Amino acid sequence: MKSEREGGRAVLFVLLGLGLLFAGGYAAAYVAAGDKVPRGTTVAGVDIGGRTQASAVEALEDGLAARVAEPVIVTVDAESREFAPEDLGLSVDYQASVEAAGGERSLDPQRLWDYYTDGEDLAPVVEVDDSLLGPVLDDLEAEFGAEPRDGAISFATGKAIVTNPVTGASIDREAASDSLAAQWLVDEDDPTSVALDLAEVLPEIDDADVIEAMRGFANPALAGPVALVFGDSPVELAPSEFAPVLRLDAVDGALVPGLNTKALIALVEDAITSEAPEDATVALVDGRPKVVPAKPGVSYRRKDVTSAFLELVQRTEGERSVSVDAKVAEPDFTTKDARALKIREKVSSFTTYYPPATYRDINIGRAAEIVDGTVLKPGETFSLNGIVGERTAENGFTEGFIISNGILKEDLGGGVSQMATTLYNAAFFAGLEDVEHKAHSFYIDRYPVGREATVAWGAVDLRFKNNTPYGVLVDAKVIKSAGRSQGTVTVNMWSTEYWDISSSTGDRYKFTSPKTRRLKGDDCVPNKGYGGFDIDVKRFVRKVGDPTLIRTENIHTTYIPSDTVICEN
């Protein structure tokens, strides 16, 4: 038993000795390692192994000094651009790089093991300043990227116009920052080259949203006209008219129907009047007769129209009308009445010319302005004096020469007889009934002989009657003589052809000689006289398409001589 105890103590002493030896060796290893970087360690190819932290930091700074100044090549969409690292916000945290390499004092056995056995090539700790990198990425994205384009639908001229969605492309900012940080200074021999990918950016409104909006709103909305019924007066709006007031707005990833309420009200009020009703008529539009619809006089609440319109345009055929609470005054002459006039084609045209004179430009132009657009219903009589009114300065006329008592005098409205003559001939060849006309006292050679007319306020008028079953639209235009060799007056009659007119002009006869007058006074106008004569013009009246002669009309004219006038004052 004694020998066993002695053997146990011997083993204990051996173990204690070994422990003391290990502790001493471990302590020596710890002291030797200190805060040095593991032997054999490199950072971005720079050897910092076995150095203290401070020495390793200094060695790393020196080793990377040239490389951190080299440009960084950034490639986007196969196009490369060079940047200074500092412009990209790139910098090396040398202290953190050394610490990451294991350069810290520690009793941890793993630390000691790493120091003596774990030398490896490490990447530096790179920091990226996003405030500097951001503007660079903005510029690259502006050059190589693309904004996504939402799908859209707009409305014009009765059609829905589709804008197809387009997928955009942008640079992933976080991925770009990570790639630059990970790849900078990795290659010891070549400059850093980083490829940045463009990522797809989907539009908020895609093809499916556009298709749904077309199916659910645009196509039904433009499927046909709609009607707003004010009392007994429907205002019909065609898709070509109301399409521009419609909208499809992008809201939360969908196209939502909307309405331009101001444009809608303007459209409605163009078809009605908030005052007295307006009769329908016919006017030339782009050179062709067009019915101008009647406008009822309507009093209504705008909100009643705007609140119902979007729902109205989505209704099916046969249901596309809505009653609007309103007070309505109906026009006397309706759109239907205007269409029944059948004013469709030019049935006659006549042009006369006049010598240059400012007063003629003013007076003939003003008369044409008033006459133009006159519509004669079947059985109605045109009166030049009744339409043009008295030739006064207030009515837009000026003084010019007229014929009075066989001689020339100055008076307001001189020259209007040029319009009378042109109107007379247009009516003559349209076959309209001659109710009243009077030729000039003596012949003026710029007018067709025996087929001309004069007017004088309160004394002489030009009147003709619409003796057809159709309406007649009078179109009167003047090209002024200012700067030209002559002025031009043209009158067109628009209707539906009813009369077929031909004419003949006889020879002059019963010639008379002029006299000589010696006159005094500031209003005397000298004149070189010429003789007078009689003449007959015949108008042959037939119906269109029928050669049977209905009647022959004889227009007899006696022209008195134009006396020679000598002014003695």
Side-chain angles (χ1 to χ4, degrees):
M1 293 296 293
K2 179 179 178 181
S3 62
E4 291 179 358
R5 287 195 294 269
E6 289 176 350
R9 283 196 295 270
V11 171
L12 177 61
F13 287 140
V14 170
L15 291 175
L16 288 172
L18 290 173
L20 290 172
L21 287 172
F22 177 77
Y26 191 87
Y30 168 75
V31 172
D35 63 350
K36 297 175 184 177
V37 176
R39 291 180 298 181
T41 299
T42 60
V43 174
V46 177
D47 186 3
I48 61 171
R51 296 175 180 270
T52 64
Q53 286 197 40
S55 175
V57 168
E58 185 177 346
L60 187 58
E61 289 178 345
D62 291 341
L64 294 180
R67 291 169 58 190
V68 296
E70 291 179 349
V72 176
I73 300 173
V74 177
T75 302
V76 182
D77 199 21
E79 293 282 342
S80 297
R81 302 289 184 268
E82 287 190 0
F83 298 94
E86 58 268 23
D87 292 338
L88 296 172
L90 295 174
S91 63
V92 177
D93 188 334
Y94 297 99
Q95 185 67 43
S97 298
V98 171
E99 291 176 358
E104 74 274 356
R105 187 182 297 274
S106 175
L107 289 171
D108 186 345
Q110 184 63 47
R111 150 66 183 158
L112 296 178
W113 178 262
D114 289 344
Y115 173 75
Y116 290 104
T117 65
D118 196 33
E120 58 181 327
D121 188 22
L122 302 174
V125 176
V126 175
E127 292 186 342
V128 181
D129 186 342
D130 290 334
S131 67
L132 297 175
L133 177 60
V136 175
L137 297 181
D138 288 342
D139 291 341
L140 290 172
E141 192 166 277
E143 184 175 0
F144 299 108
E147 289 288 334
R149 184 180 72 190
D150 284 343
I153 299 173
S154 59
F155 297 91
T157 63
K159 297 180 180 178
I161 302 170
V162 173
T163 299
N164 292 318
V166 175
T167 299
S170 68
I171 297 172
D172 186 323
R173 303 308 172 95
E174 185 176 348
S177 178
D178 291 345
S179 294
L180 287 165
Q183 297 180 52
W184 188 39
L185 304 174
V186 168
D187 195 324
E188 298 180 40
D189 300 320
D190 297 316
T192 300
S193 180
V194 180
L196 303 182
D197 294 328
L198 289 171
E200 284 190 347
V201 181
L202 299 177
E204 290 188 13
I205 306 297
D206 59 18
D207 286 315
D209 297 319
V210 172
I211 292 171
E212 174 59 26
M214 284 292 294
R215 184 195 63 79
F217 179 75
N219 289 336
L222 302 179
V226 297
L228 300 166
V229 183
F230 298 90
D232 294 329
S233 297
V235 172
E236 187 173 280
L237 301 175
S240 59
E241 295 173 300
F242 68 73
V245 311
L246 303 178
R247 296 199 316 258
L248 277 165
D249 301 322
V251 179
D252 296 332
L255 291 173
V256 177
L259 190 65
N260 184 333
T261 56
K262 288 185 178 180
L264 174 60
I265 293 303
L267 180 64
V268 171
E269 295 196 346
D270 189 50
I272 62 173
T273 173
S274 57
E275 300 174 356
E278 294 180 11
D279 286 345
T281 188
V282 180
L284 290 183
V285 178
D286 297 327
R288 299 296 303 170
K290 182 179 179 180
V291 171
V292 179
K295 293 183 179 182
V298 177
S299 174
Y300 71 103
R301 293 187 305 171
R302 276 56 175 167
K303 186 178 180 180
D304 289 347
V305 171
T306 58
S307 62
F309 198 77
L310 281 179
E311 187 271 333
L312 172 62
V313 298
Q314 296 179 74
R315 293 183 184 178
T316 58
E317 185 179 358
E319 301 293 329
R320 295 170 68 86
S321 67
V322 64
S323 295
V324 180
D325 187 23
K327 294 181 179 178
V328 182
E330 301 292 348
D332 294 326
F333 194 72
T334 67
T335 303
K336 182 179 179 181
D337 295 333
R339 291 190 179 119
L341 294 178
K342 297 183 179 180
I343 300 175
R344 299 169 179 169
E345 58 191 332
K346 190 184 296 184
V347 296
S348 73
S349 180
F350 201 80
T351 298
T352 62
Y353 305 90
Y354 62 87
T358 300
Y359 82 85
R360 290 192 180 103
D361 285 341
I362 294 173
N363 292 338
I364 301 171
R366 176 58 179 154
E369 179 184 8
I370 299 172
V371 166
D372 185 49
T374 300
V375 174
L376 290 180
K377 299 167 188 172
E380 284 190 338
T381 297
F382 177 97
S383 165
L384 183 60
N385 281 341
I387 291 173
V388 173
E390 186 174 0
R391 273 67 86 188
T392 64
E394 292 76 16
N395 197 15
F397 293 91
T398 189
E399 287 191 346
F401 290 108
I402 65 169
I403 300 174
S404 177
N405 193 26
I407 60 174
L408 294 174
K409 293 287 186 181
E410 280 193 302
D411 198 0
L412 283 164
V416 172
S417 290
Q418 182 95 27
M419 176 56 65
T421 292
T422 314
L423 276 164
Y424 173 76
N425 278 273
F428 180 95
F429 288 108
L432 304 184
E433 180 183 338
D434 181 5
V435 176
E436 177 185 352
H437 95 276
K438 180 182 183 301
H440 288 82
S441 301
F442 51 77
Y443 176 56
I444 300 172
D445 60 6
R446 66 176 180 270
Y447 297 147
V449 62
R451 215 176 58 234
E452 43 91 7
T454 186
V455 287
W457 177 254
V460 179
D461 197 4
L462 169 67
R463 294 191 298 148
F464 50 84
K465 182 179 181 180
N466 179 7
N467 56 349
T468 78
Y470 310 113
V472 175
L473 169 62
V474 181
D475 169 32
K477 295 292 183 290
V478 170
I479 301 175
K480 296 182 178 181
S481 66
R484 302 170 65 249
S485 62
Q486 61 186 359
T488 304
V489 186
T490 299
V491 173
N492 300 310
M493 298 289 184
W494 296 81
S495 184
T496 289
E497 281 195 328
Y498 188 73
W499 299 116
D500 183 3
I501 300 298
S502 59
S503 69
S504 66
T505 301
D507 295 330
R508 303 180 187 188
Y509 62 99
K510 287 188 180 179
F511 294 97
T512 54
S513 300
K515 296 178 181 179
T516 297
R517 300 193 199 185
R518 298 180 180 275
L519 302 176
K520 296 180 180 181
D522 293 339
D523 61 348
C524 179
V525 178
N527 180 58
K528 184 177 181 179
Y530 52 87
F533 57 89
D534 283 21
I535 196 164
D536 295 300
V537 173
K538 296 185 184 299
R539 179 166 75 164
F540 305 104
V541 181
R542 297 176 176 84
K543 284 189 177 181
V544 170
D546 186 349
T548 305
L549 181 65
I550 295 176
R551 64 181 178 276
T552 299
E553 299 171 353
N554 187 68
I555 299 98
H556 175 77
T557 303
T558 297
Y559 291 111
I560 66 173
S562 173
D563 291 341
T564 295
V565 175
I566 299 174
C567 298
E568 294 187 333
N569 52 318

